[in-house]
mmCIF file with all atom_site columns, all heavy atoms in Angstrom:
data_model
loop_
_atom_site.group_PDB
_atom_site.id
_atom_site.type_symbol
_atom_site.label_atom_id
_atom_site.label_alt_id
_atom_site.label_comp_id
_atom_site.label_asym_id
_atom_site.label_entity_id
_atom_site.label_seq_id
_atom_site.pdbx_PDB_ins_code
_atom_site.Cartn_x
_atom_site.Cartn_y
_atom_site.Cartn_z
_atom_site.occupancy
_atom_site.B_iso_or_equiv
_atom_site.pdbx_formal_charge
_atom_site.auth_seq_id
_atom_site.auth_comp_id
_atom_site.auth_asym_id
_atom_site.auth_atom_id
_atom_site.pdbx_PDB_model_num
ATOM 1   N N   . PHE A 1 1  ? -8.389  -11.227 -9.009  1.00 0.00 ? 1  PHE A N   1
ATOM 2   C CA  . PHE A 1 1  ? -7.483  -11.745 -7.987  1.00 0.00 ? 1  PHE A CA  1
ATOM 3   C C   . PHE A 1 1  ? -6.175  -10.964 -7.893  1.00 0.00 ? 1  PHE A C   1
ATOM 4   O O   . PHE A 1 1  ? -5.558  -10.928 -6.836  1.00 0.00 ? 1  PHE A O   1
ATOM 5   C CB  . PHE A 1 1  ? -7.174  -13.226 -8.250  1.00 0.00 ? 1  PHE A CB  1
ATOM 6   C CG  . PHE A 1 1  ? -8.337  -14.133 -7.969  1.00 0.00 ? 1  PHE A CG  1
ATOM 7   C CD1 . PHE A 1 1  ? -9.162  -14.568 -8.993  1.00 0.00 ? 1  PHE A CD1 1
ATOM 8   C CD2 . PHE A 1 1  ? -8.629  -14.524 -6.679  1.00 0.00 ? 1  PHE A CD2 1
ATOM 9   C CE1 . PHE A 1 1  ? -10.244 -15.388 -8.734  1.00 0.00 ? 1  PHE A CE1 1
ATOM 10  C CE2 . PHE A 1 1  ? -9.710  -15.343 -6.406  1.00 0.00 ? 1  PHE A CE2 1
ATOM 11  C CZ  . PHE A 1 1  ? -10.517 -15.782 -7.439  1.00 0.00 ? 1  PHE A CZ  1
ATOM 12  N N   . TRP A 1 2  ? -5.747  -10.358 -9.004  1.00 0.00 ? 2  TRP A N   1
ATOM 13  C CA  . TRP A 1 2  ? -4.449  -9.670  -8.985  1.00 0.00 ? 2  TRP A CA  1
ATOM 14  C C   . TRP A 1 2  ? -4.583  -8.197  -8.642  1.00 0.00 ? 2  TRP A C   1
ATOM 15  O O   . TRP A 1 2  ? -3.773  -7.663  -7.882  1.00 0.00 ? 2  TRP A O   1
ATOM 16  C CB  . TRP A 1 2  ? -3.787  -9.820  -10.368 1.00 0.00 ? 2  TRP A CB  1
ATOM 17  C CG  . TRP A 1 2  ? -2.582  -8.943  -10.543 1.00 0.00 ? 2  TRP A CG  1
ATOM 18  C CD1 . TRP A 1 2  ? -1.302  -9.178  -10.104 1.00 0.00 ? 2  TRP A CD1 1
ATOM 19  C CD2 . TRP A 1 2  ? -2.549  -7.650  -11.183 1.00 0.00 ? 2  TRP A CD2 1
ATOM 20  N NE1 . TRP A 1 2  ? -0.490  -8.125  -10.439 1.00 0.00 ? 2  TRP A NE1 1
ATOM 21  C CE2 . TRP A 1 2  ? -1.218  -7.176  -11.097 1.00 0.00 ? 2  TRP A CE2 1
ATOM 22  C CE3 . TRP A 1 2  ? -3.507  -6.862  -11.807 1.00 0.00 ? 2  TRP A CE3 1
ATOM 23  C CZ2 . TRP A 1 2  ? -0.848  -5.945  -11.625 1.00 0.00 ? 2  TRP A CZ2 1
ATOM 24  C CZ3 . TRP A 1 2  ? -3.132  -5.647  -12.333 1.00 0.00 ? 2  TRP A CZ3 1
ATOM 25  C CH2 . TRP A 1 2  ? -1.815  -5.212  -12.238 1.00 0.00 ? 2  TRP A CH2 1
ATOM 26  N N   . LEU A 1 3  ? -5.598  -7.543  -9.193  1.00 0.00 ? 3  LEU A N   1
ATOM 27  C CA  . LEU A 1 3  ? -5.691  -6.095  -9.046  1.00 0.00 ? 3  LEU A CA  1
ATOM 28  C C   . LEU A 1 3  ? -5.799  -5.634  -7.590  1.00 0.00 ? 3  LEU A C   1
ATOM 29  O O   . LEU A 1 3  ? -5.096  -4.698  -7.201  1.00 0.00 ? 3  LEU A O   1
ATOM 30  C CB  . LEU A 1 3  ? -6.867  -5.562  -9.875  1.00 0.00 ? 3  LEU A CB  1
ATOM 31  C CG  . LEU A 1 3  ? -7.018  -4.035  -9.907  1.00 0.00 ? 3  LEU A CG  1
ATOM 32  C CD1 . LEU A 1 3  ? -5.758  -3.401  -10.484 1.00 0.00 ? 3  LEU A CD1 1
ATOM 33  C CD2 . LEU A 1 3  ? -8.241  -3.635  -10.716 1.00 0.00 ? 3  LEU A CD2 1
ATOM 34  N N   . PRO A 1 4  ? -6.679  -6.242  -6.767  1.00 0.00 ? 4  PRO A N   1
ATOM 35  C CA  . PRO A 1 4  ? -6.761  -5.753  -5.378  1.00 0.00 ? 4  PRO A CA  1
ATOM 36  C C   . PRO A 1 4  ? -5.419  -5.805  -4.646  1.00 0.00 ? 4  PRO A C   1
ATOM 37  O O   . PRO A 1 4  ? -5.034  -4.836  -3.992  1.00 0.00 ? 4  PRO A O   1
ATOM 38  C CB  . PRO A 1 4  ? -7.788  -6.699  -4.744  1.00 0.00 ? 4  PRO A CB  1
ATOM 39  C CG  . PRO A 1 4  ? -8.622  -7.161  -5.886  1.00 0.00 ? 4  PRO A CG  1
ATOM 40  C CD  . PRO A 1 4  ? -7.680  -7.284  -7.037  1.00 0.00 ? 4  PRO A CD  1
ATOM 41  N N   . ASP A 1 5  ? -4.710  -6.923  -4.778  1.00 0.00 ? 5  ASP A N   1
ATOM 42  C CA  . ASP A 1 5  ? -3.425  -7.029  -4.078  1.00 0.00 ? 5  ASP A CA  1
ATOM 43  C C   . ASP A 1 5  ? -2.412  -6.059  -4.668  1.00 0.00 ? 5  ASP A C   1
ATOM 44  O O   . ASP A 1 5  ? -1.582  -5.504  -3.940  1.00 0.00 ? 5  ASP A O   1
ATOM 45  C CB  . ASP A 1 5  ? -2.897  -8.464  -4.156  1.00 0.00 ? 5  ASP A CB  1
ATOM 46  C CG  . ASP A 1 5  ? -1.697  -8.690  -3.236  1.00 0.00 ? 5  ASP A CG  1
ATOM 47  O OD1 . ASP A 1 5  ? -1.871  -8.567  -2.005  1.00 0.00 ? 5  ASP A OD1 1
ATOM 48  O OD2 . ASP A 1 5  ? -0.596  -8.962  -3.737  1.00 0.00 ? 5  ASP A OD2 1
ATOM 49  N N   . ALA A 1 6  ? -2.473  -5.842  -5.992  1.00 0.00 ? 6  ALA A N   1
ATOM 50  C CA  . ALA A 1 6  ? -1.553  -4.895  -6.614  1.00 0.00 ? 6  ALA A CA  1
ATOM 51  C C   . ALA A 1 6  ? -1.796  -3.476  -6.084  1.00 0.00 ? 6  ALA A C   1
ATOM 52  O O   . ALA A 1 6  ? -0.849  -2.726  -5.836  1.00 0.00 ? 6  ALA A O   1
ATOM 53  C CB  . ALA A 1 6  ? -1.714  -4.924  -8.135  1.00 0.00 ? 6  ALA A CB  1
ATOM 54  N N   . LEU A 1 7  ? -3.081  -3.109  -5.904  1.00 0.00 ? 7  LEU A N   1
ATOM 55  C CA  . LEU A 1 7  ? -3.391  -1.784  -5.362  1.00 0.00 ? 7  LEU A CA  1
ATOM 56  C C   . LEU A 1 7  ? -2.932  -1.659  -3.908  1.00 0.00 ? 7  LEU A C   1
ATOM 57  O O   . LEU A 1 7  ? -2.415  -0.614  -3.501  1.00 0.00 ? 7  LEU A O   1
ATOM 58  C CB  . LEU A 1 7  ? -4.890  -1.522  -5.466  1.00 0.00 ? 7  LEU A CB  1
ATOM 59  C CG  . LEU A 1 7  ? -5.432  -1.295  -6.888  1.00 0.00 ? 7  LEU A CG  1
ATOM 60  C CD1 . LEU A 1 7  ? -6.954  -1.232  -6.884  1.00 0.00 ? 7  LEU A CD1 1
ATOM 61  C CD2 . LEU A 1 7  ? -4.859  -0.017  -7.481  1.00 0.00 ? 7  LEU A CD2 1
ATOM 62  N N   . VAL A 1 8  ? -3.119  -2.730  -3.142  1.00 0.00 ? 8  VAL A N   1
ATOM 63  C CA  . VAL A 1 8  ? -2.664  -2.688  -1.740  1.00 0.00 ? 8  VAL A CA  1
ATOM 64  C C   . VAL A 1 8  ? -1.142  -2.561  -1.687  1.00 0.00 ? 8  VAL A C   1
ATOM 65  O O   . VAL A 1 8  ? -0.597  -1.798  -0.881  1.00 0.00 ? 8  VAL A O   1
ATOM 66  C CB  . VAL A 1 8  ? -3.146  -3.953  -0.998  1.00 0.00 ? 8  VAL A CB  1
ATOM 67  C CG1 . VAL A 1 8  ? -2.523  -4.025  0.396   1.00 0.00 ? 8  VAL A CG1 1
ATOM 68  C CG2 . VAL A 1 8  ? -4.658  -3.953  -0.878  1.00 0.00 ? 8  VAL A CG2 1
ATOM 69  N N   . ARG A 1 9  ? -0.454  -3.302  -2.555  1.00 0.00 ? 9  ARG A N   1
ATOM 70  C CA  . ARG A 1 9  ? 1.013   -3.193  -2.611  1.00 0.00 ? 9  ARG A CA  1
ATOM 71  C C   . ARG A 1 9  ? 1.441   -1.767  -2.961  1.00 0.00 ? 9  ARG A C   1
ATOM 72  O O   . ARG A 1 9  ? 2.378   -1.224  -2.377  1.00 0.00 ? 9  ARG A O   1
ATOM 73  C CB  . ARG A 1 9  ? 1.573   -4.171  -3.651  1.00 0.00 ? 9  ARG A CB  1
ATOM 74  C CG  . ARG A 1 9  ? 1.619   -5.617  -3.209  1.00 0.00 ? 9  ARG A CG  1
ATOM 75  C CD  . ARG A 1 9  ? 2.187   -6.499  -4.321  1.00 0.00 ? 9  ARG A CD  1
ATOM 76  N NE  . ARG A 1 9  ? 2.343   -7.864  -3.884  1.00 0.00 ? 9  ARG A NE  1
ATOM 77  C CZ  . ARG A 1 9  ? 3.413   -8.328  -3.251  1.00 0.00 ? 9  ARG A CZ  1
ATOM 78  N NH1 . ARG A 1 9  ? 4.416   -7.508  -2.981  1.00 0.00 ? 9  ARG A NH1 1
ATOM 79  N NH2 . ARG A 1 9  ? 3.490   -9.575  -2.880  1.00 0.00 ? 9  ARG A NH2 1
ATOM 80  N N   . HIS A 1 10 ? 0.748   -1.196  -3.921  1.00 0.00 ? 10 HIS A N   1
ATOM 81  C CA  . HIS A 1 10 ? 1.089   0.163   -4.345  1.00 0.00 ? 10 HIS A CA  1
ATOM 82  C C   . HIS A 1 10 ? 0.865   1.147   -3.201  1.00 0.00 ? 10 HIS A C   1
ATOM 83  O O   . HIS A 1 10 ? 1.698   2.047   -2.970  1.00 0.00 ? 10 HIS A O   1
ATOM 84  C CB  . HIS A 1 10 ? 0.249   0.552   -5.557  1.00 0.00 ? 10 HIS A CB  1
ATOM 85  C CG  . HIS A 1 10 ? 0.576   1.895   -6.129  1.00 0.00 ? 10 HIS A CG  1
ATOM 86  N ND1 . HIS A 1 10 ? 1.817   2.198   -6.654  1.00 0.00 ? 10 HIS A ND1 1
ATOM 87  C CD2 . HIS A 1 10 ? -0.169  3.035   -6.230  1.00 0.00 ? 10 HIS A CD2 1
ATOM 88  C CE1 . HIS A 1 10 ? 1.816   3.454   -7.074  1.00 0.00 ? 10 HIS A CE1 1
ATOM 89  N NE2 . HIS A 1 10 ? 0.621   3.977   -6.816  1.00 0.00 ? 10 HIS A NE2 1
ATOM 90  N N   . ALA A 1 11 ? -0.231  0.970   -2.482  1.00 0.00 ? 11 ALA A N   1
ATOM 91  C CA  . ALA A 1 11 ? -0.505  1.858   -1.348  1.00 0.00 ? 11 ALA A CA  1
ATOM 92  C C   . ALA A 1 11 ? 0.582   1.757   -0.287  1.00 0.00 ? 11 ALA A C   1
ATOM 93  O O   . ALA A 1 11 ? 0.992   2.766   0.297   1.00 0.00 ? 11 ALA A O   1
ATOM 94  C CB  . ALA A 1 11 ? -1.874  1.517   -0.744  1.00 0.00 ? 11 ALA A CB  1
ATOM 95  N N   . ALA A 1 12 ? 1.069   0.539   -0.044  1.00 0.00 ? 12 ALA A N   1
ATOM 96  C CA  . ALA A 1 12 ? 2.133   0.355   0.952   1.00 0.00 ? 12 ALA A CA  1
ATOM 97  C C   . ALA A 1 12 ? 3.435   1.005   0.502   1.00 0.00 ? 12 ALA A C   1
ATOM 98  O O   . ALA A 1 12 ? 4.181   1.557   1.315   1.00 0.00 ? 12 ALA A O   1
ATOM 99  C CB  . ALA A 1 12 ? 2.336   -1.136  1.216   1.00 0.00 ? 12 ALA A CB  1
ATOM 100 N N   . GLN A 1 13 ? 3.701   0.951   -0.800  1.00 0.00 ? 13 GLN A N   1
ATOM 101 C CA  . GLN A 1 13 ? 4.962   1.482   -1.313  1.00 0.00 ? 13 GLN A CA  1
ATOM 102 C C   . GLN A 1 13 ? 4.989   3.010   -1.331  1.00 0.00 ? 13 GLN A C   1
ATOM 103 O O   . GLN A 1 13 ? 6.029   3.617   -1.098  1.00 0.00 ? 13 GLN A O   1
ATOM 104 C CB  . GLN A 1 13 ? 5.228   0.936   -2.721  1.00 0.00 ? 13 GLN A CB  1
ATOM 105 C CG  . GLN A 1 13 ? 5.567   -0.548  -2.742  1.00 0.00 ? 13 GLN A CG  1
ATOM 106 C CD  . GLN A 1 13 ? 5.651   -1.096  -4.159  1.00 0.00 ? 13 GLN A CD  1
ATOM 107 O OE1 . GLN A 1 13 ? 5.317   -0.404  -5.123  1.00 0.00 ? 13 GLN A OE1 1
ATOM 108 N NE2 . GLN A 1 13 ? 6.080   -2.333  -4.282  1.00 0.00 ? 13 GLN A NE2 1
ATOM 109 N N   . ILE A 1 14 ? 3.840   3.624   -1.635  1.00 0.00 ? 14 ILE A N   1
ATOM 110 C CA  . ILE A 1 14 ? 3.843   5.083   -1.791  1.00 0.00 ? 14 ILE A CA  1
ATOM 111 C C   . ILE A 1 14 ? 3.462   5.815   -0.507  1.00 0.00 ? 14 ILE A C   1
ATOM 112 O O   . ILE A 1 14 ? 3.517   7.048   -0.467  1.00 0.00 ? 14 ILE A O   1
ATOM 113 C CB  . ILE A 1 14 ? 2.895   5.520   -2.925  1.00 0.00 ? 14 ILE A CB  1
ATOM 114 C CG1 . ILE A 1 14 ? 1.426   5.235   -2.561  1.00 0.00 ? 14 ILE A CG1 1
ATOM 115 C CG2 . ILE A 1 14 ? 3.273   4.850   -4.229  1.00 0.00 ? 14 ILE A CG2 1
ATOM 116 C CD1 . ILE A 1 14 ? 0.432   5.836   -3.531  1.00 0.00 ? 14 ILE A CD1 1
ATOM 117 N N   . ALA A 1 15 ? 3.062   5.069   0.518   1.00 0.00 ? 15 ALA A N   1
ATOM 118 C CA  . ALA A 1 15 ? 2.655   5.731   1.768   1.00 0.00 ? 15 ALA A CA  1
ATOM 119 C C   . ALA A 1 15 ? 3.837   6.494   2.355   1.00 0.00 ? 15 ALA A C   1
ATOM 120 O O   . ALA A 1 15 ? 4.918   5.928   2.554   1.00 0.00 ? 15 ALA A O   1
ATOM 121 C CB  . ALA A 1 15 ? 2.144   4.701   2.770   1.00 0.00 ? 15 ALA A CB  1
ATOM 122 N N   . PRO A 1 16 ? 3.691   7.788   2.656   1.00 0.00 ? 16 PRO A N   1
ATOM 123 C CA  . PRO A 1 16 ? 4.778   8.553   3.272   1.00 0.00 ? 16 PRO A CA  1
ATOM 124 C C   . PRO A 1 16 ? 4.991   8.099   4.723   1.00 0.00 ? 16 PRO A C   1
ATOM 125 O O   . PRO A 1 16 ? 4.133   7.427   5.310   1.00 0.00 ? 16 PRO A O   1
ATOM 126 C CB  . PRO A 1 16 ? 4.278   9.997   3.211   1.00 0.00 ? 16 PRO A CB  1
ATOM 127 C CG  . PRO A 1 16 ? 2.792   9.892   3.103   1.00 0.00 ? 16 PRO A CG  1
ATOM 128 C CD  . PRO A 1 16 ? 2.501   8.613   2.393   1.00 0.00 ? 16 PRO A CD  1
ATOM 129 N N   . PRO A 1 17 ? 6.142   8.446   5.304   1.00 0.00 ? 17 PRO A N   1
ATOM 130 C CA  . PRO A 1 17 ? 6.435   8.007   6.676   1.00 0.00 ? 17 PRO A CA  1
ATOM 131 C C   . PRO A 1 17 ? 5.344   8.343   7.687   1.00 0.00 ? 17 PRO A C   1
ATOM 132 O O   . PRO A 1 17 ? 5.056   7.545   8.580   1.00 0.00 ? 17 PRO A O   1
ATOM 133 C CB  . PRO A 1 17 ? 7.746   8.737   6.991   1.00 0.00 ? 17 PRO A CB  1
ATOM 134 C CG  . PRO A 1 17 ? 8.393   8.945   5.664   1.00 0.00 ? 17 PRO A CG  1
ATOM 135 C CD  . PRO A 1 17 ? 7.274   9.177   4.710   1.00 0.00 ? 17 PRO A CD  1
ATOM 136 N N   . ALA A 1 18 ? 4.727   9.516   7.555   1.00 0.00 ? 18 ALA A N   1
ATOM 137 C CA  . ALA A 1 18 ? 3.694   9.890   8.524   1.00 0.00 ? 18 ALA A CA  1
ATOM 138 C C   . ALA A 1 18 ? 2.487   8.950   8.445   1.00 0.00 ? 18 ALA A C   1
ATOM 139 O O   . ALA A 1 18 ? 1.910   8.585   9.479   1.00 0.00 ? 18 ALA A O   1
ATOM 140 C CB  . ALA A 1 18 ? 3.249   11.330  8.282   1.00 0.00 ? 18 ALA A CB  1
ATOM 141 N N   . GLN A 1 19 ? 2.101   8.550   7.222   1.00 0.00 ? 19 GLN A N   1
ATOM 142 C CA  . GLN A 1 19 ? 0.993   7.622   7.081   1.00 0.00 ? 19 GLN A CA  1
ATOM 143 C C   . GLN A 1 19 ? 1.348   6.259   7.658   1.00 0.00 ? 19 GLN A C   1
ATOM 144 O O   . GLN A 1 19 ? 0.528   5.606   8.320   1.00 0.00 ? 19 GLN A O   1
ATOM 145 C CB  . GLN A 1 19 ? 0.603   7.470   5.610   1.00 0.00 ? 19 GLN A CB  1
ATOM 146 C CG  . GLN A 1 19 ? -0.284  8.579   5.072   1.00 0.00 ? 19 GLN A CG  1
ATOM 147 C CD  . GLN A 1 19 ? -0.767  8.285   3.659   1.00 0.00 ? 19 GLN A CD  1
ATOM 148 O OE1 . GLN A 1 19 ? -0.414  7.272   3.063   1.00 0.00 ? 19 GLN A OE1 1
ATOM 149 N NE2 . GLN A 1 19 ? -1.593  9.172   3.121   1.00 0.00 ? 19 GLN A NE2 1
ATOM 150 N N   . LYS A 1 20 ? 2.570   5.815   7.407   1.00 0.00 ? 20 LYS A N   1
ATOM 151 C CA  . LYS A 1 20 ? 2.993   4.527   7.951   1.00 0.00 ? 20 LYS A CA  1
ATOM 152 C C   . LYS A 1 20 ? 3.000   4.554   9.480   1.00 0.00 ? 20 LYS A C   1
ATOM 153 O O   . LYS A 1 20 ? 2.594   3.582   10.124  1.00 0.00 ? 20 LYS A O   1
ATOM 154 C CB  . LYS A 1 20 ? 4.382   4.164   7.411   1.00 0.00 ? 20 LYS A CB  1
ATOM 155 C CG  . LYS A 1 20 ? 4.404   3.834   5.925   1.00 0.00 ? 20 LYS A CG  1
ATOM 156 C CD  . LYS A 1 20 ? 5.797   3.442   5.466   1.00 0.00 ? 20 LYS A CD  1
ATOM 157 C CE  . LYS A 1 20 ? 5.799   3.072   3.986   1.00 0.00 ? 20 LYS A CE  1
ATOM 158 N NZ  . LYS A 1 20 ? 7.145   2.693   3.510   1.00 0.00 ? 20 LYS A NZ  1
ATOM 159 N N   . ARG A 1 21 ? 3.442   5.668   10.044  1.00 0.00 ? 21 ARG A N   1
ATOM 160 C CA  . ARG A 1 21 ? 3.435   5.777   11.498  1.00 0.00 ? 21 ARG A CA  1
ATOM 161 C C   . ARG A 1 21 ? 1.991   5.719   12.025  1.00 0.00 ? 21 ARG A C   1
ATOM 162 O O   . ARG A 1 21 ? 1.732   5.104   13.073  1.00 0.00 ? 21 ARG A O   1
ATOM 163 C CB  . ARG A 1 21 ? 4.131   7.073   11.921  1.00 0.00 ? 21 ARG A CB  1
ATOM 164 C CG  . ARG A 1 21 ? 4.154   7.326   13.433  1.00 0.00 ? 21 ARG A CG  1
ATOM 165 C CD  . ARG A 1 21 ? 4.957   6.274   14.221  1.00 0.00 ? 21 ARG A CD  1
ATOM 166 N NE  . ARG A 1 21 ? 6.341   6.195   13.828  1.00 0.00 ? 21 ARG A NE  1
ATOM 167 C CZ  . ARG A 1 21 ? 7.324   6.977   14.305  1.00 0.00 ? 21 ARG A CZ  1
ATOM 168 N NH1 . ARG A 1 21 ? 7.044   7.904   15.210  1.00 0.00 ? 21 ARG A NH1 1
ATOM 169 N NH2 . ARG A 1 21 ? 8.575   6.809   13.895  1.00 0.00 ? 21 ARG A NH2 1
ATOM 170 N N   . THR A 1 22 ? 1.064   6.352   11.320  1.00 0.00 ? 22 THR A N   1
ATOM 171 C CA  . THR A 1 22 ? -0.345  6.291   11.715  1.00 0.00 ? 22 THR A CA  1
ATOM 172 C C   . THR A 1 22 ? -0.852  4.850   11.711  1.00 0.00 ? 22 THR A C   1
ATOM 173 O O   . THR A 1 22 ? -1.578  4.419   12.623  1.00 0.00 ? 22 THR A O   1
ATOM 174 C CB  . THR A 1 22 ? -1.210  7.146   10.762  1.00 0.00 ? 22 THR A CB  1
ATOM 175 O OG1 . THR A 1 22 ? -0.777  8.513   10.837  1.00 0.00 ? 22 THR A OG1 1
ATOM 176 C CG2 . THR A 1 22 ? -2.680  7.067   11.143  1.00 0.00 ? 22 THR A CG2 1
ATOM 177 N N   . ILE A 1 23 ? -0.471  4.101   10.672  1.00 0.00 ? 23 ILE A N   1
ATOM 178 C CA  . ILE A 1 23 ? -0.867  2.691   10.604  1.00 0.00 ? 23 ILE A CA  1
ATOM 179 C C   . ILE A 1 23 ? -0.257  1.918   11.769  1.00 0.00 ? 23 ILE A C   1
ATOM 180 O O   . ILE A 1 23 ? -0.923  1.118   12.436  1.00 0.00 ? 23 ILE A O   1
ATOM 181 C CB  . ILE A 1 23 ? -0.423  2.078   9.261   1.00 0.00 ? 23 ILE A CB  1
ATOM 182 C CG1 . ILE A 1 23 ? -1.141  2.762   8.103   1.00 0.00 ? 23 ILE A CG1 1
ATOM 183 C CG2 . ILE A 1 23 ? -0.699  0.579   9.235   1.00 0.00 ? 23 ILE A CG2 1
ATOM 184 C CD1 . ILE A 1 23 ? -0.613  2.382   6.730   1.00 0.00 ? 23 ILE A CD1 1
ATOM 185 N N   . GLY A 1 24 ? 1.042   2.168   12.028  1.00 0.00 ? 24 GLY A N   1
ATOM 186 C CA  . GLY A 1 24 ? 1.714   1.477   13.128  1.00 0.00 ? 24 GLY A CA  1
ATOM 187 C C   . GLY A 1 24 ? 1.077   1.762   14.476  1.00 0.00 ? 24 GLY A C   1
ATOM 188 O O   . GLY A 1 24 ? 0.909   0.862   15.306  1.00 0.00 ? 24 GLY A O   1
#
């Protein structure tokens, strides 16, 4: 229950601006 959300949180934190813009 904790690990998947922790990995998703980590992905959100380390995503560079270009990746975030792609998501947006």
